[in-house]
Amino acid sequence: MPADLRDTIRSSAAALGFDVCRLASAAEPWSAGERLAHFVEAGRHGEMGWMETTLERRAHPTAMWDGARTAIVLGLNYGPEHDPLPEMADRSAGYISVYARGDDYHEVIKGRLKTLAGQVAARTGEDVKVFVDTAPLMEKPLAQRAGLGWQGKHTNLLSRSHGNWLFLGVILSAAEIEPDAPEGEHCGTCTACLDICPTKAFPAPFQLDARRCLSYLTIEFAGAWPEEFRAATGSRIYGCDDCLAVCPWNKFAAASRESRVRAREALVSPGLADLAALDDAGFRALFSKSPVKRIGRNRFVRNVLYAIGNSDDATLMPVAERLLDDADAVVRDAAEWAVGRLRGA
């Protein structure tokens, strides 16, 4: 392939709005598949059964597509305008993870990836495939191999330029293109992300037990939560940013330039009473084009009720009591817990 092909791809990616673009080998062996297997064997994936059923295909990019030779890894900065840590400490309003306050990043990125992939295919004459966190491909190890950043002690991708705030997309190509240098690990002795976790979800540095993670519980877990995590969630009603927001590398991050991923005003510190009153239609309207919509009204209102129970706000008692007769059993259970907590407070 021409020596300037990487630069051409990077220029095209920048023109499409991506903040970073680097290349890695998609065919060389790695240890990421083995680490994932240990994660699943230990049961740390919780109810995410799809991780087990797709384990073989997740093990390596070529296990999913044997023709893959190069991974073009794209990053889109979604950095917030303000440090979100104070918001998470505020029990009077709901907390929605920074990544979910704007439009669904899958939709923001996918069209641009397809455009870039088409250009790469035209230049190389080789097949391409596009991925945005919706297929059995491990983007974070590929991003580290490509040099976008490294997987920190919290297991998330961490960048020296963008901190913890990068959406990832990947184009796999059958073309052999010279890769960029990988990124080393730069966490040093810092354990801020491990220390701040409200549920102690990290058994060790660089290891996560999803079953204890508030992002998993608020988004992926469908039932009534174990009692030990309900109080720990505080005001977090969708996702949890503690381990991301506390990282010292964020001092080099900047607010996102992409208007579609910037926070909607309605999703920053939303009122708990209004959220608890949402029916299915109201939920869908509020979270139109948002990733929050995929968990559905019942799971979301369950989360809101846990936050109400943690609010110490007696004026929210009637809000919780109205949901004691909700049609959904998990919502009823959460309402009963919230009422009990508020009475105790």
Side-chain angles (χ1 to χ4, degrees), residues 53-68:
T53 58
T54 60
L55 186 58
E56 282 190 23
R57 289 196 295 151
R58 287 180 185 277
H60 192 273
T62 56
M64 186 180 57
W65 179 30
D66 60 7

Side-chain angles (χ1 to χ4, degrees), residues 197-201 209 211-214 217 224-234 306 310 337 341:
C197 179
T199 55
K200 306 303 177 190
D209 187 340
R211 295 168 297 184
R212 301 187 65 86
C213 175
L214 291 174
L217 288 164
W225 289 14
E227 290 280 342
E228 64 178 305
F229 302 127
R230 299 185 185 193
T233 196
Y306 293 149
N310 293 325
W337 183 85
R341 287 272 293 185

Side-chain angles (χ1 to χ4, degrees), residues 101-188:
R101 296 178 179 185
D103 287 358
D104 190 332
Y105 69 94
H106 300 88
E107 299 304 320
V108 174
I109 292 177
K110 193 169 186 179
R112 302 176 193 190
L113 278 181
K114 287 182 175 180
T115 298
L116 182 59
Q119 295 171 358
V120 172
R123 282 187 169 273
T124 63
E126 300 285 355
D127 289 342
V128 293
K129 294 183 186 293
V130 168
F131 303 91
V132 194
D133 190 32
T134 52
L137 181 72
M138 289 196 280
E139 292 99 340
K140 288 184 286 187
L142 276 175
Q144 180 161 350
R145 175 175 279 189
L148 271 77
W150 69 98
Q151 285 189 258
K153 292 179 182 178
H154 53 15
T155 74
N156 293 292
L157 189 76
L158 182 51
S159 162
R160 287 193 283 184
S161 302
H162 301 286
N164 290 261
W165 316 112
L166 276 179
F167 290 134
L168 297 177
V170 177
I171 299 168
L172 292 183
S173 171
E176 296 272 7
I177 308 174
E178 183 182 355
D180 290 301
E183 179 68 274
E185 182 256 304
H186 301 287
C187 290

Side-chain angles (χ1 to χ4, degrees), residues 10-320:
R10 272 196 266 273
S11 296
S12 297
L16 289 166
F18 289 104
D19 293 286
V20 60
C21 169
R22 292 177 66 88
L23 284 70
S25 168
E28 291 180 4
W30 65 6
S31 59
E34 185 179 351
R35 293 198 303 271
L36 179 64
H38 290 323
F39 173 79
V40 172
E41 286 166 10
R44 291 177 176 173
H45 62 306
E47 291 189 351
M48 295 183 288
W50 42 267
M51 295 194 76
E52 187 171 355
T53 58
T54 60
L55 186 58
E56 282 190 23
R57 289 196 295 151
R58 287 180 185 277
H60 192 273
T62 56
M64 186 180 57
W65 179 30
D66 60 7
R69 293 296 174 267
T70 300
I72 303 167
V73 188
L74 292 306
L76 182 71
N77 173 34
Y78 71 97
E81 294 185 4
H82 307 288
D83 178 6
L85 280 175
E87 291 178 47
M88 280 182 279
D90 179 9
R91 300 295 182 95
S92 67
Y95 182 84
I96 293 173
S97 183
V98 170
Y99 89 87
R101 296 178 179 185
D103 287 358
D104 190 332
Y105 69 94
H106 300 88
E107 299 304 320
V108 174
I109 292 177
K110 193 169 186 179
R112 302 176 193 190
L113 278 181
K114 287 182 175 180
T115 298
L116 182 59
Q119 295 171 358
V120 172
R123 282 187 169 273
T124 63
E126 300 285 355
D127 289 342
V128 293
K129 294 183 186 293
V130 168
F131 303 91
V132 194
D133 190 32
T134 52
L137 181 72
M138 289 196 280
E139 292 99 340
K140 288 184 286 187
L142 276 175
Q144 180 161 350
R145 175 175 279 189
L148 271 77
W150 69 98
Q151 285 189 258
K153 292 179 182 178
H154 53 15
T155 74
N156 293 292
L157 189 76
L158 182 51
S159 162
R160 287 193 283 184
S161 302
H162 301 286
N164 290 261
W165 316 112
L166 276 179
F167 290 134
L168 297 177
V170 177
I171 299 168
L172 292 183
S173 171
E176 296 272 7
I177 308 174
E178 183 182 355
D180 290 301
E183 179 68 274
E185 182 256 304
H186 301 287
C187 290
T189 60
C190 179
T191 58
C193 60
L194 310 183
D195 299 336
I196 200 173
C197 179
T199 55
K200 306 303 177 190
F202 301 104
F206 308 106
Q207 295 182 30
L208 171 69
D209 187 340
R211 295 168 297 184
R212 301 187 65 86
C213 175
L214 291 174
S215 284
Y216 164 78
L217 288 164
T218 55
I219 299 170
E220 302 292 345
F221 188 76
W225 289 14
E227 290 280 342
E228 64 178 305
F229 302 127
R230 299 185 185 193
T233 196
S235 61
R236 300 164 188 80
I237 56 176
Y238 186 92
C240 177
D241 289 332
D242 291 72
C243 65
L244 304 179
V246 76
C247 179
W249 282 103
N250 288 333
K251 65 186 176 184
F252 299 109
S256 176
R257 299 178 293 116
E258 173 56 55
S259 61
R260 290 181 63 189
V261 302
R262 287 188 198 138
R264 304 177 192 173
E265 186 176 347
L267 303 188
V268 179
S269 299
L272 294 171
D274 292 337
L275 296 178
L278 291 172
D279 59 12
D280 188 63
F283 171 80
R284 290 178 175 276
L286 178 61
F287 294 108
S288 174
K289 298 183 179 180
S290 163
V292 179
K293 189 170 72 171
R294 79 176 184 88
I295 71 170
R297 175 263 179 190
N298 294 343
R299 200 178 302 184
F300 182 75
V301 171
R302 171 204 64 185
N303 300 343
V304 172
L305 283 164
Y306 293 149
I308 286 175
N310 293 325
S311 70
D312 292 333
D313 183 354
T315 66
L316 292 173
M317 179 77 79
V319 176

